[in-house]
Amino acid sequence: NDNYTITLASPGTGTLTIDPRAVPIKANDAAPIVYGTEAPTIFSYTLTGNFVGGDEADFAATLSYSIGAPMNGDGFLDVGSYPITPSWTYSNGNYAITLATPKGTLTVTQRPVTVTVNNAGSIHYADPTPSFTWSIVTGSFVGSDQANFSAGVSFQLTPNATPPLPVGSYTISLVGYTN
């Protein structure tokens, strides 16, 4: 246009900066497991940002997870709630991948076990008191837990009596155990 004299200022160029795309990741809460069940190693996750093209599949292939607690002596997580933390080895400068909060949670619930005291049969007056026993009705113990339970169990007769036991019927109760 003849009405203007246009001169390009030095340096005559503009700048466009492209920053990495923010992609916060959060491990989702896992379905609860019962004590004695092997802890999962793969969890689901939620992204607050998004990847472009096939980059999410490349990222997901490098994901691993850790649970914020050590395994007990039997190789299981004790009852409780544990944070799930994702980690990754994906390296692509186009993304700023961060951990979102709160972390996901894995909950370990109590394992149900029902036990009963076995009948001791019949003895005669002044006979030695028999050994009392118990057995599992439903459920099961894990690893060394049954031995630990057995070591902590004692029995009580009601009404309370000391040998030689007077003639009569007695209720045998399980005492001295803890959950």
Side-chain angles (χ1 to χ4, degrees):
N1 184 336
D2 291 336
N3 296 325
Y4 299 96
T5 301
I6 299 176
T7 306
L8 189 57
S10 182
T13 58
T15 303
L16 170 65
T17 302
I18 300 176
D19 295 321
R21 179 179 291 273
V23 183
I25 179 173
K26 177 191 177 303
N28 295 326
D29 290 342
I33 62 171
V34 174
Y35 172 72
T37 304
E38 192 171 317
T41 57
I42 298 175
F43 299 91
S44 63
Y45 62 89
T46 300
L47 299 174
T48 314
N50 61 333
F51 287 94
V52 177
D55 291 344
E56 183 175 353
D58 295 340
F59 167 76
T62 72
L63 267 177
S64 61
Y65 298 88
S66 63
I67 300 169
M71 302 296 178
N72 66 21
D74 290 321
F76 299 103
L77 290 170
D78 287 322
V79 170
S81 294
Y82 303 100
I84 303 167
T85 304
S87 60
W88 54 90
T89 57
Y90 183 70
S91 178
N92 182 328
N94 293 326
Y95 301 98
I97 304 167
T98 58
L99 287 175
T101 55
K103 293 181 177 181
T105 301
L106 172 63
T107 300
V108 181
T109 61
Q110 290 182 324
R111 183 180 196 86
V113 179
T114 303
V115 298
T116 189
V117 176
N118 298 320
N119 288 326
S122 178
I123 61 171
H124 293 98
Y125 175 74
D127 283 350
T129 304
S131 296
F132 301 123
T133 60
W134 61 272
S135 57
I136 297 173
V137 177
T138 61
S140 63
F141 286 98
V142 174
S144 61
D145 291 344
Q146 183 165 334
N148 295 337
F149 178 81
S150 293
V153 164
S154 59
F155 298 90
Q156 179 178 332
L157 292 178
T158 306
N160 196 3
T162 56
L165 300 176
V167 172
S169 290
Y170 297 86
T171 300
I172 308 166
S173 300
L174 198 61
V175 294
Y177 65 92
T178 58
N179 280 337

